[in-house]
Amino acid sequence: MTITKNLEGEKLTIALEGRLDTVTSPDLESELKTALEGAKELIMDFTKLEYISSAGLRVLLSAHKKNGW
């Protein structure tokens, strides 16, 4: 999976490409922990995401709960 981040002011866009599954979800979790600092708005771009497993959904839900988006 490829993770592309773009921070414009307080708006962070994260684009995912490939598969978000049990193997790659820890990578996204690590990226979100560091990337979300200072961002007040988060946009997730799944345009090129081919697959998402329950492990990937867990990471997204966890980030949502922690940051209140």
Side-chain angles (χ1 to χ4, degrees):
M1 176 181 65
T2 304
I3 302 171
T4 305
K5 299 177 289 186
N6 184 24
L7 182 62
E8 294 179 13
E10 295 179 333
K11 181 174 89 173
L12 175 64
T13 302
I14 296 179
L16 303 178
E17 184 175 343
R19 296 175 57 90
L20 178 56
D21 54 23
T22 305
V23 174
T24 59
S25 61
D27 297 335
L28 178 60
E29 189 170 28
S30 294
E31 287 290 336
L32 286 173
K33 284 181 182 176
T34 58
L36 294 177
E37 294 176 17
K40 297 206 182 213
E41 182 180 354
L42 175 64
I43 297 171
M44 298 293 296
D45 181 357
F46 299 139
T47 306
K48 296 182 180 179
L49 190 63
E50 298 169 8
Y51 173 81
I52 185 167
S53 73
S54 59
L57 290 174
R58 180 193 57 77
V59 170
L60 296 173
L61 288 171
S62 177
H64 174 73
K65 286 180 182 179
K66 286 180 184 175
N67 296 290
W69 287 308

Short mmCIF file of all heavy atoms in Angstrom, two decimals:
data_model
loop_
_atom_site.label_atom_id
_atom_site.label_comp_id
_atom_site.label_asym_id
_atom_site.label_seq_id
_atom_site.Cartn_x
_atom_site.Cartn_y
_atom_site.Cartn_z
N MET A 1 0.84 -1.16 0.00
CA MET A 1 0.00 0.00 0.00
C MET A 1 0.89 1.24 0.00
O MET A 1 1.92 1.29 0.67
CB MET A 1 -0.90 0.00 1.23
CG MET A 1 -1.75 1.23 1.35
SD MET A 1 -2.79 1.26 2.80
CE MET A 1 -1.59 1.32 4.10
N THR A 2 0.47 2.25 -0.72
CA THR A 2 1.16 3.52 -0.77
C THR A 2 0.33 4.56 -0.03
O THR A 2 -0.88 4.66 -0.24
CB THR A 2 1.37 3.98 -2.23
OG1 THR A 2 2.08 2.96 -2.93
CG2 THR A 2 2.13 5.27 -2.28
N ILE A 3 0.97 5.32 0.85
CA ILE A 3 0.31 6.36 1.62
C ILE A 3 0.91 7.70 1.20
O ILE A 3 2.11 7.90 1.31
CB ILE A 3 0.50 6.16 3.13
CG1 ILE A 3 -0.04 4.81 3.57
CG2 ILE A 3 -0.16 7.30 3.90
CD1 ILE A 3 0.30 4.43 5.01
N THR A 4 0.05 8.61 0.71
CA THR A 4 0.49 9.94 0.31
C THR A 4 -0.20 10.95 1.20
O THR A 4 -1.42 10.95 1.32
CB THR A 4 0.14 10.20 -1.16
OG1 THR A 4 0.69 9.16 -1.96
CG2 THR A 4 0.69 11.55 -1.61
N LYS A 5 0.59 11.83 1.83
CA LYS A 5 0.05 12.85 2.72
C LYS A 5 0.26 14.23 2.12
O LYS A 5 1.31 14.49 1.54
CB LYS A 5 0.72 12.79 4.09
CG LYS A 5 0.54 11.47 4.81
CD LYS A 5 1.29 11.47 6.12
CE LYS A 5 2.77 11.41 5.83
NZ LYS A 5 3.61 11.26 7.00
N ASN A 6 -0.74 15.09 2.30
CA ASN A 6 -0.64 16.47 1.84
C ASN A 6 -1.28 17.36 2.90
O ASN A 6 -2.48 17.27 3.13
CB ASN A 6 -1.32 16.63 0.49
CG ASN A 6 -1.16 18.03 -0.06
OD1 ASN A 6 -0.22 18.73 0.30
ND2 ASN A 6 -2.07 18.44 -0.92
N LEU A 7 -0.49 18.21 3.53
CA LEU A 7 -0.98 19.11 4.56
C LEU A 7 -1.02 20.52 3.99
O LEU A 7 0.00 21.06 3.56
CB LEU A 7 -0.09 19.07 5.79
CG LEU A 7 -0.50 19.92 6.98
CD1 LEU A 7 -1.87 19.49 7.52
CD2 LEU A 7 0.54 19.86 8.08
N GLU A 8 -2.22 21.10 3.96
CA GLU A 8 -2.41 22.48 3.52
C GLU A 8 -3.02 23.24 4.68
O GLU A 8 -4.22 23.10 4.95
CB GLU A 8 -3.32 22.53 2.30
CG GLU A 8 -2.74 21.88 1.06
CD GLU A 8 -3.70 21.92 -0.11
OE1 GLU A 8 -4.70 22.67 -0.05
OE2 GLU A 8 -3.45 21.20 -1.08
N GLY A 9 -2.21 24.02 5.36
CA GLY A 9 -2.69 24.71 6.56
C GLY A 9 -3.03 23.69 7.63
O GLY A 9 -2.17 22.95 8.08
N GLU A 10 -4.29 23.65 8.02
CA GLU A 10 -4.75 22.69 9.03
C GLU A 10 -5.54 21.54 8.41
O GLU A 10 -6.14 20.74 9.11
CB GLU A 10 -5.59 23.40 10.08
CG GLU A 10 -4.79 24.42 10.87
CD GLU A 10 -5.61 25.14 11.90
OE1 GLU A 10 -6.84 25.27 11.72
OE2 GLU A 10 -5.03 25.57 12.91
N LYS A 11 -5.55 21.46 7.07
CA LYS A 11 -6.28 20.40 6.36
C LYS A 11 -5.29 19.35 5.85
O LYS A 11 -4.40 19.65 5.06
CB LYS A 11 -7.07 20.99 5.20
CG LYS A 11 -7.86 19.94 4.43
CD LYS A 11 -8.73 20.57 3.38
CE LYS A 11 -7.97 20.70 2.09
NZ LYS A 11 -8.81 21.15 0.96
N LEU A 12 -5.45 18.13 6.34
CA LEU A 12 -4.59 17.01 5.95
C LEU A 12 -5.37 16.07 5.04
O LEU A 12 -6.46 15.64 5.37
CB LEU A 12 -4.13 16.24 7.19
CG LEU A 12 -3.32 14.98 6.95
CD1 LEU A 12 -2.00 15.29 6.26
CD2 LEU A 12 -3.09 14.24 8.26
N THR A 13 -4.79 15.79 3.88
CA THR A 13 -5.36 14.81 2.96
C THR A 13 -4.43 13.61 2.92
O THR A 13 -3.23 13.76 2.71
CB THR A 13 -5.52 15.39 1.54
OG1 THR A 13 -6.35 16.55 1.61
CG2 THR A 13 -6.14 14.37 0.60
N ILE A 14 -5.01 12.43 3.15
CA ILE A 14 -4.25 11.19 3.08
C ILE A 14 -4.87 10.33 1.98
O ILE A 14 -6.05 9.99 2.04
CB ILE A 14 -4.27 10.43 4.42
CG1 ILE A 14 -3.58 11.27 5.50
CG2 ILE A 14 -3.59 9.07 4.27
CD1 ILE A 14 -3.55 10.63 6.86
N ALA A 15 -4.06 10.01 0.97
CA ALA A 15 -4.51 9.17 -0.14
C ALA A 15 -3.87 7.80 0.01
O ALA A 15 -2.67 7.68 0.25
CB ALA A 15 -4.11 9.80 -1.47
N LEU A 16 -4.70 6.78 -0.12
CA LEU A 16 -4.23 5.40 -0.01
C LEU A 16 -4.34 4.73 -1.38
O LEU A 16 -5.34 4.90 -2.09
CB LEU A 16 -5.06 4.63 1.01
CG LEU A 16 -5.11 5.21 2.41
CD1 LEU A 16 -6.01 4.36 3.29
CD2 LEU A 16 -3.73 5.32 3.01
N GLU A 17 -3.31 3.94 -1.71
CA GLU A 17 -3.32 3.22 -2.98
C GLU A 17 -2.92 1.77 -2.72
O GLU A 17 -1.94 1.51 -2.02
CB GLU A 17 -2.32 3.87 -3.94
CG GLU A 17 -2.33 3.26 -5.31
CD GLU A 17 -1.42 4.01 -6.28
OE1 GLU A 17 -1.04 5.14 -6.00
OE2 GLU A 17 -1.10 3.40 -7.33
N GLY A 18 -3.70 0.85 -3.25
CA GLY A 18 -3.40 -0.58 -3.08
C GLY A 18 -4.40 -1.25 -2.15
O GLY A 18 -5.60 -1.03 -2.26
N ARG A 19 -3.88 -2.04 -1.21
CA ARG A 19 -4.72 -2.82 -0.30
C ARG A 19 -4.47 -2.41 1.14
O ARG A 19 -3.32 -2.35 1.57
CB ARG A 19 -4.40 -4.31 -0.45
CG ARG A 19 -4.72 -4.88 -1.82
CD ARG A 19 -4.28 -6.32 -1.95
NE ARG A 19 -4.86 -7.20 -0.95
CZ ARG A 19 -6.00 -7.85 -1.09
NH1 ARG A 19 -6.70 -7.72 -2.19
NH2 ARG A 19 -6.44 -8.63 -0.13
N LEU A 20 -5.54 -2.14 1.86
CA LEU A 20 -5.47 -1.85 3.30
C LEU A 20 -6.00 -3.10 4.01
O LEU A 20 -7.19 -3.33 4.06
CB LEU A 20 -6.30 -0.61 3.64
CG LEU A 20 -6.36 -0.21 5.11
CD1 LEU A 20 -4.96 0.00 5.68
CD2 LEU A 20 -7.19 1.05 5.27
N ASP A 21 -5.07 -3.89 4.51
CA ASP A 21 -5.45 -5.17 5.10
C ASP A 21 -4.65 -5.42 6.37
O ASP A 21 -4.03 -4.51 6.92
CB ASP A 21 -5.26 -6.31 4.09
CG ASP A 21 -3.86 -6.36 3.49
OD1 ASP A 21 -2.91 -5.85 4.12
OD2 ASP A 21 -3.71 -6.94 2.41
N THR A 22 -4.64 -6.64 6.84
CA THR A 22 -3.95 -7.00 8.08
C THR A 22 -2.46 -6.68 8.01
O THR A 22 -1.86 -6.28 9.01
CB THR A 22 -4.15 -8.51 8.37
OG1 THR A 22 -5.54 -8.78 8.38
CG2 THR A 22 -3.55 -8.90 9.69
N VAL A 23 -1.86 -6.84 6.85
CA VAL A 23 -0.43 -6.61 6.69
C VAL A 23 -0.10 -5.11 6.66
O VAL A 23 0.88 -4.67 7.24
CB VAL A 23 0.08 -7.30 5.40
CG1 VAL A 23 1.53 -6.96 5.13
CG2 VAL A 23 -0.11 -8.79 5.50
N THR A 24 -0.93 -4.32 5.99
CA THR A 24 -0.62 -2.90 5.78
C THR A 24 -1.29 -1.95 6.79
O THR A 24 -0.86 -0.79 6.89
CB THR A 24 -1.02 -2.46 4.37
OG1 THR A 24 -2.43 -2.68 4.19
CG2 THR A 24 -0.25 -3.23 3.31
N SER A 25 -2.28 -2.41 7.52
CA SER A 25 -2.97 -1.51 8.46
C SER A 25 -2.05 -0.96 9.56
O SER A 25 -2.22 0.20 9.95
CB SER A 25 -4.22 -2.17 9.05
OG SER A 25 -3.90 -3.32 9.77
N PRO A 26 -1.06 -1.71 10.05
CA PRO A 26 -0.13 -1.10 11.03
C PRO A 26 0.64 0.08 10.45
O PRO A 26 0.95 1.04 11.17
CB PRO A 26 0.81 -2.25 11.41
CG PRO A 26 0.02 -3.48 11.15
CD PRO A 26 -0.81 -3.16 9.94
N ASP A 27 0.94 0.05 9.16
CA ASP A 27 1.63 1.17 8.51
C ASP A 27 0.76 2.42 8.55
O ASP A 27 1.23 3.51 8.87
CB ASP A 27 1.98 0.83 7.06
CG ASP A 27 2.93 -0.33 6.94
OD1 ASP A 27 3.69 -0.59 7.90
OD2 ASP A 27 2.92 -0.98 5.88
N LEU A 28 -0.52 2.26 8.23
CA LEU A 28 -1.44 3.40 8.26
C LEU A 28 -1.61 3.90 9.68
O LEU A 28 -1.62 5.11 9.92
CB LEU A 28 -2.80 3.02 7.67
CG LEU A 28 -3.85 4.13 7.70
CD1 LEU A 28 -3.38 5.36 6.92
CD2 LEU A 28 -5.18 3.63 7.18
N GLU A 29 -1.71 3.00 10.62
CA GLU A 29 -1.86 3.39 12.02
C GLU A 29 -0.68 4.24 12.49
O GLU A 29 -0.85 5.28 13.13
CB GLU A 29 -2.01 2.15 12.90
CG GLU A 29 -2.39 2.44 14.32
CD GLU A 29 -2.77 1.18 15.08
OE1 GLU A 29 -2.27 0.08 14.75
OE2 GLU A 29 -3.57 1.31 16.01
N SER A 30 0.53 3.84 12.13
CA SER A 30 1.73 4.61 12.48
C SER A 30 1.73 5.98 11.82
O SER A 30 2.06 6.99 12.45
CB SER A 30 2.99 3.85 12.07
OG SER A 30 3.12 2.68 12.80
N GLU A 31 1.37 6.01 10.56
CA GLU A 31 1.33 7.29 9.82
C GLU A 31 0.30 8.23 10.43
O GLU A 31 0.55 9.43 10.57
CB GLU A 31 0.99 7.05 8.35
CG GLU A 31 2.10 6.46 7.55
CD GLU A 31 3.26 7.42 7.32
OE1 GLU A 31 3.07 8.65 7.37
OE2 GLU A 31 4.37 6.93 7.10
N LEU A 32 -0.86 7.71 10.80
CA LEU A 32 -1.91 8.56 11.36
C LEU A 32 -1.49 9.14 12.71
O LEU A 32 -1.80 10.30 13.00
CB LEU A 32 -3.21 7.77 11.51
CG LEU A 32 -3.97 7.49 10.22
CD1 LEU A 32 -5.14 6.56 10.49
CD2 LEU A 32 -4.44 8.78 9.57
N LYS A 33 -0.79 8.38 13.51
CA LYS A 33 -0.36 8.86 14.83
C LYS A 33 0.51 10.10 14.70
O LYS A 33 0.39 11.03 15.49
CB LYS A 33 0.38 7.77 15.58
CG LYS A 33 -0.53 6.72 16.16
CD LYS A 33 0.26 5.67 16.91
CE LYS A 33 -0.68 4.59 17.44
NZ LYS A 33 0.04 3.51 18.08
N THR A 34 1.40 10.12 13.72
CA THR A 34 2.30 11.26 13.57
C THR A 34 1.70 12.36 12.69
O THR A 34 1.89 13.54 12.95
CB THR A 34 3.65 10.83 12.98
OG1 THR A 34 3.44 10.19 11.72
CG2 THR A 34 4.37 9.88 13.91
N ALA A 35 0.95 11.98 11.67
CA ALA A 35 0.47 12.95 10.69
C ALA A 35 -0.67 13.81 11.21
O ALA A 35 -0.85 14.93 10.76
CB ALA A 35 0.01 12.23 9.42
N LEU A 36 -1.43 13.32 12.17
CA LEU A 36 -2.61 14.05 12.63
C LEU A 36 -2.29 15.21 13.55
O LEU A 36 -3.16 16.06 13.79
CB LEU A 36 -3.58 13.09 13.33
CG LEU A 36 -4.20 12.03 12.42
CD1 LEU A 36 -5.09 11.10 13.23
CD2 LEU A 36 -5.00 12.67 11.31
N GLU A 37 -1.07 15.28 14.04
CA GLU A 37 -0.69 16.38 14.92
C GLU A 37 -0.76 17.70 14.15
O GLU A 37 -0.15 17.85 13.11
CB GLU A 37 0.72 16.15 15.46
CG GLU A 37 0.82 14.95 16.37
CD GLU A 37 2.24 14.68 16.81
OE1 GLU A 37 3.09 15.57 16.70
OE2 GLU A 37 2.48 13.55 17.27
N GLY A 38 -1.54 18.64 14.66
CA GLY A 38 -1.67 19.95 14.03
C GLY A 38 -2.76 20.04 12.99
O GLY A 38 -3.07 21.13 12.52
N ALA A 39 -3.35 18.93 12.60
CA ALA A 39 -4.42 18.95 11.60
C ALA A 39 -5.77 19.06 12.30
O ALA A 39 -6.03 18.37 13.28
CB ALA A 39 -4.37 17.69 10.75
N LYS A 40 -6.61 19.94 11.79
CA LYS A 40 -7.96 20.08 12.34
C LYS A 40 -9.00 19.46 11.42
O LYS A 40 -10.13 19.24 11.81
CB LYS A 40 -8.27 21.55 12.58
CG LYS A 40 -7.35 22.15 13.60
CD LYS A 40 -7.96 23.30 14.29
CE LYS A 40 -6.90 23.83 15.24
NZ LYS A 40 -7.38 24.36 16.41
N GLU A 41 -8.61 19.21 10.17
CA GLU A 41 -9.51 18.60 9.20
C GLU A 41 -8.76 17.47 8.51
O GLU A 41 -7.60 17.62 8.12
CB GLU A 41 -9.95 19.65 8.18
CG GLU A 41 -10.91 19.14 7.15
CD GLU A 41 -11.33 20.22 6.15
OE1 GLU A 41 -10.95 21.39 6.33
OE2 GLU A 41 -12.02 19.86 5.19
N LEU A 42 -9.43 16.33 8.35
CA LEU A 42 -8.83 15.17 7.70
C LEU A 42 -9.70 14.73 6.54
O LEU A 42 -10.90 14.55 6.69
CB LEU A 42 -8.68 14.01 8.68
CG LEU A 42 -8.18 12.69 8.10
CD1 LEU A 42 -6.76 12.83 7.57
CD2 LEU A 42 -8.26 11.59 9.14
N ILE A 43 -9.06 14.57 5.39
CA ILE A 43 -9.73 14.04 4.21
C ILE A 43 -9.01 12.76 3.83
O ILE A 43 -7.79 12.75 3.63
CB ILE A 43 -9.70 15.03 3.04
CG1 ILE A 43 -10.46 16.29 3.43
CG2 ILE A 43 -10.27 14.40 1.77
CD1 ILE A 43 -10.33 17.42 2.46
N MET A 44 -9.76 11.67 3.76
CA MET A 44 -9.20 10.38 3.34
C MET A 44 -9.62 10.13 1.89
O MET A 44 -10.81 10.13 1.58
CB MET A 44 -9.71 9.25 4.23
CG MET A 44 -9.35 9.38 5.69
SD MET A 44 -7.59 9.21 6.04
CE MET A 44 -7.26 7.54 5.54
N ASP A 45 -8.66 9.94 1.02
CA ASP A 45 -8.91 9.69 -0.40
C ASP A 45 -8.70 8.20 -0.67
O ASP A 45 -7.57 7.70 -0.62
CB ASP A 45 -7.95 10.54 -1.23
CG ASP A 45 -8.16 10.35 -2.73
OD1 ASP A 45 -8.99 9.52 -3.14
OD2 ASP A 45 -7.46 11.05 -3.49
N PHE A 46 -9.79 7.51 -0.94
CA PHE A 46 -9.75 6.08 -1.22
C PHE A 46 -9.93 5.77 -2.71
O PHE A 46 -10.22 4.64 -3.08
CB PHE A 46 -10.84 5.34 -0.43
CG PHE A 46 -10.73 5.48 1.05
CD1 PHE A 46 -11.85 5.68 1.83
CD2 PHE A 46 -9.51 5.39 1.70
CE1 PHE A 46 -11.77 5.79 3.21
CE2 PHE A 46 -9.40 5.51 3.08
CZ PHE A 46 -10.55 5.71 3.82
N THR A 47 -9.74 6.77 -3.56
CA THR A 47 -9.95 6.61 -4.99
C THR A 47 -9.17 5.42 -5.57
O THR A 47 -9.69 4.68 -6.40
CB THR A 47 -9.55 7.90 -5.74
OG1 THR A 47 -10.26 9.00 -5.17
CG2 THR A 47 -9.89 7.81 -7.21
N LYS A 48 -7.95 5.25 -5.12
CA LYS A 48 -7.09 4.18 -5.67
C LYS A 48 -6.94 3.01 -4.71
O LYS A 48 -6.09 2.14 -4.92
CB LYS A 48 -5.72 4.75 -6.04
CG LYS A 48 -5.81 5.78 -7.15
CD LYS A 48 -4.46 6.28 -7.53
CE LYS A 48 -4.59 7.31 -8.65
NZ LYS A 48 -3.28 7.83 -9.03
N LEU A 49 -7.76 2.97 -3.68
CA LEU A 49 -7.72 1.85 -2.74
C LEU A 49 -8.50 0.68 -3.34
O LEU A 49 -9.67 0.81 -3.69
CB LEU A 49 -8.33 2.26 -1.40
CG LEU A 49 -8.14 1.30 -0.24
CD1 LEU A 49 -6.66 1.15 0.10
CD2 LEU A 49 -8.91 1.78 0.97
N GLU A 50 -7.84 -0.45 -3.50
CA GLU A 50 -8.45 -1.61 -4.15
C GLU A 50 -9.25 -2.48 -3.18
O GLU A 50 -10.22 -3.13 -3.58
CB GLU A 50 -7.36 -2.47 -4.79
CG GLU A 50 -6.58 -1.75 -5.87
CD GLU A 50 -5.36 -2.53 -6.31
OE1 GLU A 50 -5.18 -3.69 -5.88
OE2 GLU A 50 -4.55 -1.96 -7.07
N TYR A 51 -8.84 -2.50 -1.92
CA TYR A 51 -9.44 -3.42 -0.95
C TYR A 51 -9.22 -2.88 0.45
O TYR A 51 -8.17 -2.29 0.73
CB TYR A 51 -8.79 -4.80 -1.08
CG TYR A 51 -9.19 -5.79 -0.03
CD1 TYR A 51 -10.39 -6.49 -0.13
CD2 TYR A 51 -8.38 -6.03 1.07
CE1 TYR A 51 -10.77 -7.40 0.84
CE2 TYR A 51 -8.75 -6.95 2.05
CZ TYR A 51 -9.95 -7.62 1.93
OH TYR A 51 -10.32 -8.52 2.89
N ILE A 52 -10.21 -3.07 1.32
CA ILE A 52 -10.05 -2.72 2.72
C ILE A 52 -10.65 -3.85 3.56
O ILE A 52 -11.77 -4.28 3.34
CB ILE A 52 -10.69 -1.35 3.05
CG1 ILE A 52 -10.41 -0.96 4.50
CG2 ILE A 52 -12.16 -1.32 2.74
CD1 ILE A 52 -10.72 0.47 4.82
N SER A 53 -9.86 -4.33 4.51
CA SER A 53 -10.31 -5.41 5.38
C SER A 53 -10.83 -4.83 6.70
O SER A 53 -10.75 -3.63 6.94
CB SER A 53 -9.15 -6.37 5.67
OG SER A 53 -8.22 -5.76 6.56
N SER A 54 -11.31 -5.70 7.56
CA SER A 54 -11.80 -5.25 8.87
C SER A 54 -10.66 -4.66 9.70
O SER A 54 -10.87 -3.75 10.50
CB SER A 54 -12.47 -6.40 9.62
OG SER A 54 -11.58 -7.48 9.81
N ALA A 55 -9.44 -5.12 9.49
CA ALA A 55 -8.29 -4.56 10.20
C ALA A 55 -8.06 -3.10 9.77
O ALA A 55 -7.76 -2.24 10.59
CB ALA A 55 -7.03 -5.38 9.94
N GLY A 56 -8.24 -2.82 8.51
CA GLY A 56 -8.13 -1.46 8.01
C GLY A 56 -9.23 -0.57 8.54
O GLY A 56 -9.01 0.59 8.92
N LEU A 57 -10.44 -1.10 8.59
CA LEU A 57 -11.57 -0.34 9.14
C LEU A 57 -11.34 -0.02 10.61
O LEU A 57 -11.67 1.07 11.07
CB LEU A 57 -12.87 -1.11 8.96
CG LEU A 57 -13.39 -1.24 7.54
CD1 LEU A 57 -14.60 -2.16 7.50
CD2 LEU A 57 -13.72 0.13 6.96
N ARG A 58 -10.75 -0.95 11.34
CA ARG A 58 -10.47 -0.73 12.76
C ARG A 58 -9.53 0.45 12.94
O ARG A 58 -9.72 1.30 13.82
CB ARG A 58 -9.85 -1.98 13.39
CG ARG A 58 -9.54 -1.82 14.87
CD ARG A 58 -8.66 -2.94 15.41
NE ARG A 58 -7.40 -3.10 14.71
CZ ARG A 58 -6.34 -2.30 14.86
NH1 ARG A 58 -6.37 -1.27 15.66
NH2 ARG A 58 -5.23 -2.55 14.20
N VAL A 59 -8.51 0.56 12.11
CA VAL A 59 -7.57 1.66 12.20
C VAL A 59 -8.28 2.99 11.93
O VAL A 59 -8.07 3.97 12.64
CB VAL A 59 -6.39 1.47 11.21
CG1 VAL A 59 -5.54 2.71 11.11
CG2 VAL A 59 -5.55 0.27 11.62
N LEU A 60 -9.13 3.02 10.93
CA LEU A 60 -9.86 4.25 10.60
C LEU A 60 -10.82 4.65 11.72
O LEU A 60 -10.90 5.82 12.09
CB LEU A 60 -10.63 4.07 9.29
CG LEU A 60 -9.76 3.85 8.05
CD1 LEU A 60 -10.64 3.52 6.84
CD2 LEU A 60 -8.89 5.06 7.77
N LEU A 61 -11.54 3.68 12.27
CA LEU A 61 -12.46 3.97 13.36
C LEU A 61 -11.72 4.43 14.61
O LEU A 61 -12.17 5.34 15.31
CB LEU A 61 -13.33 2.76 13.68
CG LEU A 61 -14.39 2.43 12.65
CD1 LEU A 61 -15.05 1.09 12.97
CD2 LEU A 61 -15.43 3.52 12.59
N SER A 62 -10.59 3.84 14.89
CA SER A 62 -9.79 4.22 16.04
C SER A 62 -9.30 5.67 15.89
O SER A 62 -9.36 6.45 16.85
CB SER A 62 -8.61 3.28 16.18
OG SER A 62 -7.78 3.67 17.24
N ALA A 63 -8.85 6.04 14.71
CA ALA A 63 -8.40 7.41 14.47
C ALA A 63 -9.55 8.39 14.62
O ALA A 63 -9.40 9.48 15.18
CB ALA A 63 -7.78 7.53 13.08
N HIS A 64 -10.71 7.99 14.16
CA HIS A 64 -11.90 8.83 14.28
C HIS A 64 -12.27 9.07 15.74
O HIS A 64 -12.54 10.20 16.16
CB HIS A 64 -13.07 8.19 13.54
CG HIS A 64 -14.37 8.92 13.73
ND1 HIS A 64 -14.62 10.12 13.12
CD2 HIS A 64 -15.44 8.63 14.47
CE1 HIS A 64 -15.82 10.53 13.47
NE2 HIS A 64 -16.35 9.65 14.29
N LYS A 65 -12.23 8.03 16.53
CA LYS A 65 -12.58 8.15 17.96
C LYS A 65 -11.58 9.01 18.72
O LYS A 65 -11.96 9.83 19.56
CB LYS A 65 -12.66 6.77 18.60
CG LYS A 65 -13.88 5.98 18.21
CD LYS A 65 -13.90 4.64 18.89
CE LYS A 65 -15.10 3.83 18.47
NZ LYS A 65 -15.12 2.51 19.11
N LYS A 66 -10.31 8.85 18.42
CA LYS A 66 -9.27 9.59 19.13
C LYS A 66 -9.29 11.08 18.79
O LYS A 66 -8.97 11.91 19.62
CB LYS A 66 -7.88 9.02 18.79
CG LYS A 66 -7.60 7.71 19.44
CD LYS A 66 -6.23 7.21 19.08
CE LYS A 66 -5.98 5.83 19.65
NZ LYS A 66 -4.70 5.28 19.22
N ASN A 67 -9.65 11.40 17.56
CA ASN A 67 -9.57 12.79 17.10
C ASN A 67 -10.92 13.46 16.94
O ASN A 67 -10.96 14.64 16.61
CB ASN A 67 -8.77 12.85 15.80
CG ASN A 67 -7.35 12.42 16.02
OD1 ASN A 67 -6.58 13.12 16.67
ND2 ASN A 67 -6.99 11.24 15.56
N GLY A 68 -11.99 12.74 17.11
CA GLY A 68 -13.31 13.32 17.06
C GLY A 68 -13.79 13.77 15.69
O GLY A 68 -14.64 14.64 15.59
N TRP A 69 -13.27 13.17 14.62
CA TRP A 69 -13.75 13.55 13.29
C TRP A 69 -14.98 12.81 12.94
O TRP A 69 -15.28 11.77 12.96
CB TRP A 69 -12.69 13.33 12.22
CG TRP A 69 -11.61 14.34 12.30
CD1 TRP A 69 -11.77 15.69 12.33
CD2 TRP A 69 -10.21 14.12 12.39
NE1 TRP A 69 -10.56 16.32 12.41
CE2 TRP A 69 -9.60 15.38 12.45
CE3 TRP A 69 -9.43 12.98 12.42
CZ2 TRP A 69 -8.22 15.52 12.54
CZ3 TRP A 69 -8.09 13.14 12.51
CH2 TRP A 69 -7.49 14.41 12.55
#
